[in-house]
Amino acid sequence: MPLHIPEICNWRLSGRARHHGAALRMRLGAMWEQEFAHLEDLTGPYMINPHHWGHVDRWFDPESGVQAIDARLSHAFSLLVEPAGS
């Protein structure tokens, strides 16, 4: 997405594995993190960018027919005092 949405300053994809239950089934999870200079960059150019709503949002939409993301997904954001790479 950073190639399509220049307002994304920094980003990373983090993965983790967790064990659940007596059978020790491994459950994989991922976290896509992004950093923006201003809240308006997230709520404006990012959310309305055609790449975001045309390619990314369909993975989250249960009516799209190609949903690949758990319905319990959280889209959260917070203010950082300084950039993550500092």
Side-chain angles (χ1 to χ4, degrees), residues 9-24:
C9 299
N10 296 311
W11 65 273
R12 76 177 174 187
L13 179 63
S14 303
R16 63 184 180 154
R18 294 172 289 175
H19 295 285
H20 290 278
L24 293 179

Side-chain angles (χ1 to χ4, degrees), residues 67-85:
Q67 180 190 16
I69 306 300
D70 190 315
R72 296 170 292 175
L73 175 81
S74 171
H75 178 187
F77 61 93
S78 67
L79 176 65
L80 295 176
V81 176
E82 58 185 53

Side-chain angles (χ1 to χ4, degrees), residues 26-56:
M26 185 174 281
R27 183 173 178 187
L28 299 175
M31 180 182 293
W32 169 258
E33 299 176 80
Q34 308 171 117
E35 193 172 311
F36 298 89
H38 308 282
L39 176 61
E40 293 78 19
D41 294 338
L42 167 67
T43 59
Y46 171 75
M47 294 301 284
I48 64 171
N49 185 285
H51 182 76
H52 183 268
W53 55 259
H55 297 287
V56 178

